[in-house]
Every structure is written in C-alpha cells, then in structure tokens.
Amino acid sequence: MKTIIAEKPSVAREIARIVGATKREEGYFEGGGYAVTWAFGHLVQLAMPDGYGIRGFVRDNLPVIPDTFTLVPRQVKTDKGYKPDSGVVSQIKTVARLFKESEQIIVATDAGREGELIFRYLYHYTGCATPFVRLWISSLTDKAIREGLRNLEAGDKYDNLYLAAKARSESDWLVGINGTQALSIAAGHGTYSVGRVQTPTLAMVCARYWENRRFTPEPFWQLHIATDGCDEGVVKFSSSEKWKEKGPATTLYNKVKEAGTATVTKAERKEKTEETPLLYDLTTLQKEANAKHGFTAEHTLEIAQKLYEKKLVTYPRTGSRYIPEDMFAEIPKLLAFIGSLPEWKEKVNPKAVPTRRSVDGGKVTDHHALLVTGEKPLFLSKEDNTVYQMIAGRMIEAFSEKCVKDTATVTAECAGVEFVAKGCIIRQAGWRAVYGVEDKEETAIPGWREGDTLPLKGCSITEGKTKPKPLHTEATLLSAMETAGKEIEDDALRQALKDCGIGTPATRAAIIETIFKRGYMERCKKSLVPTEKGLALYSVVKTMRIADVAMTGEWEKNLARIECGELPADTFRKEIEAYTREITSELLSCDKLFSRRDSGCKCPKCGTGSMQFYGKVVRCDNAECGLPVFRLKANRTLSDDEIKDLLTDGHTKLLKGFKSKQGKSFDAIVAFDGDYNTTFVFPERKNKATSTRRRK
C-alpha cells in the first residue's frame, strides 16, 4: 500500500477520487492500493519554552535558545495554559499508522515552502523511516493531478526547500519568543508582542503615520492660460514654476493678463509605447484587489485558495509573474476559453498571436504566475467571481499587443513666464482596450511649431497646498513589504528586488492580520492607522534592530539562498542566534523607558489597584485588572493632571489641541464609557442648556 498525504481534507478527497480510494475511513480514504490522508495545516509545531523545562517571562531565563528544537502536536490555549488539540492528536495517530504500514509515501501537501514543512515536521515527529516521493503540481485539475502522479519526483530533491522552511520557522520562534518576553518583562505589565517580520512591518505603518501627521502643508500659487486650438478646442497651459509667495505670482499674473498672447518656444512630438502588464503573482493580485475593490490581503488569499481548490486557477501562493516556455503553448487555448465567458466576449481576438512579455522560465521559481485553468467558473459568489475575473482579465492584458500613444509637449512663453501643455492620442489601444480607454486619457494638441503666436482666451491664478504622503493602505503596505520599504513603481525592478522583501507572498497577509489582532493597528476606511498601543511600541523599538526593515529583507534573501543550496542553514541559524541575544539584551534594557511612578489614584475599574504612570500609558498595578489608559489621544498627549482628572472624576475638563484622522483640529472632553474605554465628549450649546455628544 502507498499513502498519499494532502494538506487539507478537500484536496485529499479530489486525489482519492482520481486514484480510486473511494472507501471512507476515520481520517483517510482507502482503495486501489492507496490510503489518502490529510493534515489540517500544521499538525505539528515547535514546543513553547516550557517544553524545554524553562519557565517563560523570567528575566534570568532569557534568551531561550534550544540546542535542538522539540516538535509537539499543535496546541490550543486553555484557562490552564496550552494543551494539545485532541482532534490533531487523533489525526497524527492515524497518519503515523498509515506511514508505518506503507511501502511508500507520496507527499501531496501544497507545493511550496510551508507545504513542505507541514509534511517534514510530521514525518520527523512520528519517527517515520518509510521512503517518500513528491507530487509537485501547480493546479488541482484532474489532468494536472494525473500528470503529477505519473511524474513523481524524488523526495530529497526538496531537501533545501525544507531546510529554508525550517530555518524560517525556527528564526521566527527565536525572535518572537525572546523579543516578546524581553519587552514584556521590561514593561512590567501586559504583553508586548514583537516578531521578526511583524515589528518591521508595524514600524513602516507608524513611520508613515507620523510623517503624515507631522507634515505642515505649504501654500503655493500657479498660473494658467488658455488658447484656441481650433479643431482640438480650448487648450490649457500651466506655468512650469510654482510660487511660494502670493505677491510675485499676482504681479506676474497681471503681466500675463496684459500681454494677451504667448509664443511657442518648443514643440516636441514622440511615440510612446506602454508595455503590457505582467501576469499576477499573489502580492500584485492582493494589492489590486485592495485598491480596486477594498478586499483585505487575507480575504483575497482566502478567495484565491478557494478558487484553486475548485480547480479554477493555478496555485495562488506564487511569487512569480512569469510562465515557462512549455506553459506558453497552452495560452492560446486558455485565452479562447476566457473569450467564451460572457464577461470577456469580443475582448479576445482568436486570430491574434499572444505576446511574450510574461514568458521567462528563468524568472519562475516554485510556481509560475497565476492563470485560470480552463474549468468553467460556475456558481461563484460575487466576491469569488470578482477575483476570478481579475485573473482572467489580466491574462488577456498580459498577452495582448502593446499600447502605442502619440504624445506632444508644447512650451510657450508669455510675459517672461514659461507655460507647458501636454497632450496624448492613443494610436493602438492594445492591452488598454481590455478594460476600455478613458476619454480623459486623450488630449489632442494642435500641430504648433516653434515661433507660433497663440492668442490668449483667458488666464487664471490658483492656490494649492503641498500634500503629505498618504497613510498606508494594505495595497501600499504590501508594496513596501515586497521591496523592504523601497519606493519602486517599475514592475520589472520590483520583481528583481522581491527576494529582498520582508515576508513572502504566502505570509504577508497573515502578518498584516497579526498586527490587527495584537491591537497595534486598525482600519479607517482603506487607510491603516496605528493604535495608541502600536505607537507606544514603535516609540520604544523604532531605533532598535528588531524594527530594521532592511535587515529583515536581507534575511528573506538568505532564506531564498538556503532554498537554492547557496547558503548552509547552519550559517543562517548562527546569525539568528547572535541577533536573538542582541535584541533580547536591547529590549530588556528598555525598563528605563517603562519606568513607573504612582499616580496616587485608585483604579476606577477594579477599585483595589493603584494606577501607575509609565512613559506612554497609565496602568492599574492589579495583575487581574491591568486597566490601561494611553496618554496619546488624537495626536495630543494628556498631561499628568489631565490623567488624574480622568481617573478621579471619570472625565477631564474641556481640552484643546486634538487633531482628527483627517488632520482637523478639535476641542473635547476625554471621558470613560461604561467599559472604561476612553471616549471623546463634545459639549454643545442648545437653548442655553448644555448637551453633549460622544465619539469613541
């Protein structure tokens, strides 16, 4: 008998059907000489410190660096600590028995770093010695599974992939366990979670938040003129220069107004070619789904995974935007299929030869870019269909012709002021025709030449203000994670830097969600806004190595090198251990940042604890209560006296100087609500009586 192990029951069911394992048993299918079983993600994980006999959150026990990591069944949190999950333990017993009774194991967990780790951890935990081979496929269609089973690969071919996955798992444990415990010990209250990727990601959100909030808008003035372009209608020019003072701008405006004409000093016409966009990898799909449809990164991944398991798209957790040469042969058939869908009728030319910009086998790693499989998308929910059609539409774009534009830039001079007008006419829509070219993209410019005199139809002066960089959205944060904070627009250059990003396409969504779950960040419409707790953590760690985005990007690059066999896993482990000792010492020394003093006020919630002043927070010293009151409220820090008013009276006096998320100043009273969360109270005058309205 051979045992096939899949990552999820749903995938096991599909494989079992194909190999004829139709008899359902407890925890597996059997038949046709096969047992087909499954994991539920990670059945086995690294033990917590108490698994090594080390008590957690004790200063003298840090750093915890095991000589050899211990594997344990996945655990669940209970009132009495962590306990093994009973369902997981039962499935491990089933899998262990099947492994032992088999002549061969076929590994059919997801074909990627984590999928490999799920199997190897389970294999080592059960002490199995049965030989194994690898099913490596990029889609779950019947055809792909059958071809994969005919072409099983040697298990040891993926040893380096496992070593990279193991190094990632152990380094995250070392940094996360030691960093979190060290900072929490230094704080003396609560738990401050930090992580190898989590903390640099939070640092990028907080740094952008402060850059945005501390930005001071500066006014500027700009001049504009309009002239008759005959058949092209009115053509508008804007001054090349912007003035910081209104006086000089107004003086020049009056001169322009008196002049009445402008003279063309330069006229340039060029043909501009816009290359087709590359196919989607997971991160690009998540970014565009967030920007266009407001989907979170995690939700987009969930949908893509669901489409994969329904056999509708190829493996979603890919970091490549290219396909290999042999896959290119399938593209005409797939495009014809997409063209048969009602959403894309007349968008696919059956006679057109697909272009090759997204074809480069050298840029394909574990998996090629996202493609539809040719299976009909039936009975999809609205959101699932949205993501499916995004992938289909991008395929049409990627294999269409380039977009060709005629561009014109005309420079004219009037009263000593230089003005510029730009125009664009689309000659070949190419890939841009897939979603349609907007009218605003086209602006015709007459065939003016140098020396032509243009009579003015009007002129104006406008006032504007400089704007800060906007707060991060999930789309922009994913971009920042992809390039370790470097701001790069060019697709090809971003692709070249992807190995230096932080996290991987498969893990970035989970990292962002972890930051939300830790209470460090929240969503405000599409913007990501750090909470007071997140800003407090950032203020402590922002200059430390734990928040260093570039260094975390280098680690991701080293993990990729382990995967390629270019770097020994032991070398990486030693680097991480040295780093762990450094950050543990650095974070434990933060106690001076968390130094406390008694406020002299009883806790308003429990009535027994005393409220203690820390740098960024006032907290109850009763361990069972621990009520926190953060000093920072809407960009304003509450003083000691204001905090004392809040603690003793339940509210402060009317305070000035708060600033909303939109940057507007306001006055308010800070008060406790029924659950002792702080809320804003806004006094209003109405019929000479004072009423209040609240906002949390």
Side-chain angles (χ1 to χ4, degrees):
M1 182 186 76
K2 295 179 181 180
T3 292
I4 301 174
I5 179 161
E7 193 161 318
K8 292 181 179 178
S10 58
V11 178
R13 195 177 303 116
E14 291 299 319
I15 296 173
R17 177 177 56 80
I18 286 170
V19 300
T22 54
K23 187 181 179 186
R24 177 68 190 257
E25 300 287 357
E26 188 65 38
Y28 66 102
F29 297 96
E30 189 172 21
Y34 290 94
V36 184
T37 188
W38 56 83
F40 313 108
H42 280 283
L43 292 179
V44 175
Q45 65 183 36
L46 300 177
M48 298 297 279
D50 58 8
Y52 306 92
I54 299 170
R55 190 172 156 221
F57 294 91
V58 175
R59 182 182 288 263
D60 291 343
N61 290 345
L62 297 180
V64 182
I65 301 179
D67 292 330
T68 304
F69 279 92
T70 299
L71 295 170
V72 295
R74 190 170 75 211
Q75 298 183 310
V76 291
K77 195 172 185 179
T78 68
D79 294 339
K80 296 180 180 178
Y82 286 91
K83 301 289 181 187
D85 183 316
S86 58
V88 165
V89 171
S90 174
Q91 186 65 6
I92 289 173
K93 286 179 181 175
T94 299
V95 172
R97 178 176 62 79
L98 293 172
F99 280 2
K100 188 176 180 181
E101 294 172 358
S102 298
E103 65 192 58
Q104 186 185 60
I105 299 165
I106 298 172
V107 184
T109 49
D110 281 359
R113 192 189 280 177
E114 285 309 297
E116 192 67 23
L117 191 65
I118 285 169
F119 165 69
R120 298 288 186 117
Y121 270 178
L122 188 55
Y123 186 78
H124 292 305
Y125 176 74
T126 57
C128 185
T130 306
F132 61 89
V133 290
R134 194 58 160 102
L135 174 70
W136 192 268
I137 52 178
S138 284
S139 79
L140 288 175
T141 60
D142 289 9
K143 179 185 174 185
I145 294 170
R146 287 194 175 99
E147 283 184 4
L149 288 169
R150 282 196 298 270
N151 298 287
L152 293 167
E153 303 193 42
D156 60 8
K157 179 180 175 181
Y158 296 95
D159 283 354
N160 286 332
L161 181 66
Y162 160 61
L163 290 173
K166 182 170 177 279
R168 193 280 309 156
S169 174
E170 292 176 356
S171 65
D172 282 353
W173 190 99
L174 288 167
V175 175
I177 293 290
N178 288 290
T180 297
Q181 295 197 12
L183 190 60
S184 302
I185 289 166
H189 55 82
T191 302
Y192 285 84
S193 168
V194 296
R196 183 181 66 88
V197 182
Q198 169 194 321
T199 304
T201 303
L202 174 65
M204 289 194 292
V205 173
C206 292
R208 175 63 64 87
Y209 173 83
W210 283 125
E211 183 181 0
N212 178 280
R213 289 293 178 259
R214 289 167 177 164
F215 181 84
T216 303
E218 294 182 354
F220 65 85
W221 285 263
Q222 190 171 19
L223 306 185
H224 311 274
I225 58 174
T227 186
D228 190 355
C230 299
D231 292 344
E232 285 76 14
V234 174
V235 178
K236 296 178 181 178
F237 289 72
S238 295
S239 60
S240 303
E241 189 178 349
K242 295 174 183 177
W243 292 269
K244 292 182 179 180
E245 302 288 337
K246 187 176 182 181
T250 305
T251 301
L252 288 169
Y253 165 70
N254 290 328
K255 288 182 179 179
V256 168
K257 198 173 181 182
E258 288 173 13
T261 61
T263 304
V264 176
T265 56
K266 188 192 285 186
E268 289 182 319
R269 294 183 180 275
K270 292 180 181 177
E271 183 180 276
K272 182 183 175 184
T273 300
E274 284 190 356
E275 292 283 356
T276 59
L278 295 168
L279 293 164
Y280 282 132
D281 63 359
L282 175 61
T283 302
T284 316
L285 177 69
Q286 288 171 317
K287 287 191 297 186
E288 294 198 12
N290 179 252
K292 293 177 181 176
H293 305 291
F295 294 177
T296 67
E298 184 180 50
H299 189 40
T300 301
L301 174 55
E302 285 172 359
I303 293 172
Q305 183 70 20
K306 200 190 307 179
L307 295 173
Y308 169 66
E309 290 174 16
K310 287 182 176 180
K311 311 179 187 181
L312 298 177
V313 303
T314 57
Y315 188 65
R317 289 175 167 84
T318 175
S320 176
R321 301 186 66 184
Y322 295 88
I323 59 171
E325 191 68 40
D326 61 345
M327 193 71 222
F328 183 59
E330 300 288 318
I331 295 303
K333 186 168 66 176
L334 290 175
L335 289 175
F337 163 74
I338 295 170
S340 72
L341 300 175
E343 291 86 350
W344 303 109
K345 272 189 175 176
E346 299 176 7
K347 293 292 185 181
V348 178
N349 180 356
K351 295 179 181 177
V353 178
T355 52
R356 301 177 59 87
R357 184 169 182 239
S358 291
V359 183
D360 189 339
K363 293 178 180 174
V364 177
T365 49
D366 295 341
H367 296 280
H368 57 66
L370 266 163
L371 301 172
V372 302
T373 61
E375 297 282 329
K376 280 207 165 183
L378 302 173
F379 311 114
L380 294 182
S381 70
K382 184 179 178 182
E383 290 185 338
D384 291 2
N385 188 58
T386 295
V387 173
Y388 178 84
Q389 299 302 344
M390 283 180 69
I391 296 168
R394 175 50 58 90
M395 283 179 65
I396 306 174
E397 289 180 314
F399 295 109
S400 294
E401 292 293 328
K402 300 172 184 176
C403 175
V404 181
K405 301 177 178 180
D406 285 344
T407 63
T409 303
V410 177
T411 306
E413 184 268 332
C414 178
V417 180
E418 183 181 88
F419 291 87
V420 176
K422 293 185 177 182
C424 167
I425 296 293
I426 295 175
R427 295 299 177 202
Q428 175 184 294
W431 66 272
R432 284 213 173 254
V434 176
Y435 286 99
V437 179
E438 295 183 18
D439 291 340
K440 66 182 181 181
E441 290 188 51
E442 294 201 86
T443 309
I445 295 282
W448 290 318
R449 296 181 180 178
E450 188 176 329
D452 286 352
T453 299
L454 311 177
L456 302 190
K457 288 194 73 175
C459 62
S460 61
I461 181 170
T462 57
E463 180 183 354
K465 286 189 175 179
T466 55
K467 293 181 179 179
K469 285 182 183 175
L471 298 176
H472 271 305
T473 62
E474 284 200 41
T476 62
L477 183 58
L478 285 165
S479 290
M481 294 174 77
E482 196 176 24
T483 58
K486 297 181 179 71
E487 294 183 10
I488 297 163
E489 298 297 328
D490 182 75
D491 268 354
L493 192 52
R494 294 185 71 84
Q495 190 74 7
L497 279 175
K498 68 184 176 66
D499 284 342
C500 299
I502 63 174
T504 65
T507 61
R508 287 176 191 135
I511 291 159
I512 292 171
E513 287 304 315
T514 295
I515 298 172
F516 284 121
K517 287 171 188 169
R518 299 283 187 252
Y520 292 145
M521 181 170 76
E522 59 191 10
R523 291 183 180 94
C524 179
K525 295 182 181 176
K526 281 190 178 182
S527 296
L528 303 180
V529 181
T531 61
E532 290 156 2
K533 183 180 180 183
L535 290 170
L537 174 62
Y538 175 65
S539 70
V540 173
V541 303
K542 63 183 176 183
T543 60
M544 298 180 182
R545 297 192 78 196
I546 188 71
D548 189 336
V549 177
M551 185 182 63
T552 305
E554 279 299 310
W555 283 343
E556 294 293 353
K557 191 174 182 179
N558 285 339
L559 289 171
R561 289 179 65 205
I562 294 171
E563 197 171 313
C564 297
E566 296 172 4
L567 180 72
D570 286 347
T571 303
F572 181 76
R573 167 72 185 263
K574 284 170 186 170
E575 284 181 20
I576 291 289
E577 286 181 2
Y579 168 80
T580 299
R581 291 186 179 93
E582 252 182 78
I583 61 142
T584 302
S585 173
E586 200 172 31
L587 292 170
L588 284 171
S589 70
C590 286
D591 51 4
K592 60 182 180 295
L593 295 168
F594 290 105
S595 58
R596 65 178 184 174
R597 51 196 169 80
D598 198 316
S599 69
C601 301
K602 283 285 183 190
C603 174
K605 185 177 182 181
C606 71
T608 57
S610 176
M611 297 299 288
Q612 303 291 316
F613 278 119
Y614 295 89
K616 303 286 181 181
V617 68
V618 184
R619 190 180 294 271
C620 174
D621 62 6
N622 175 3
E624 293 180 4
C625 174
L627 172 70
V629 180
F630 290 96
R631 285 179 176 271
L632 187 67
K633 306 288 177 194
N635 238 28
R636 183 189 188 281
T637 301
L638 301 185
S639 69
D640 287 3
D641 288 341
E642 290 162 353
I643 289 281
K644 286 177 181 178
D645 286 344
L646 175 62
L647 295 173
T648 53
D649 302 333
H651 60 82
T652 66
K653 299 179 177 68
L654 180 65
L655 305 177
K656 297 180 180 293
F658 295 106
K659 193 175 279 189
S660 72
K661 289 172 182 174
Q662 289 72 38
K664 294 180 180 177
S665 296
F666 65 90
D667 304 339
I669 293 165
V670 180
F672 285 125
D673 65 12
D675 296 319
Y676 292 95
N677 297 310
T678 54
T679 183
F680 287 120
V681 179
F682 300 94
E684 288 180 347
R685 288 279 179 188
K686 190 176 180 183
N687 298 330
K688 295 185 179 179
T690 301
S691 65
T692 61
R693 56 191 176 93
R694 290 173 176 256
R695 186 180 82 184
K696 286 191 179 181

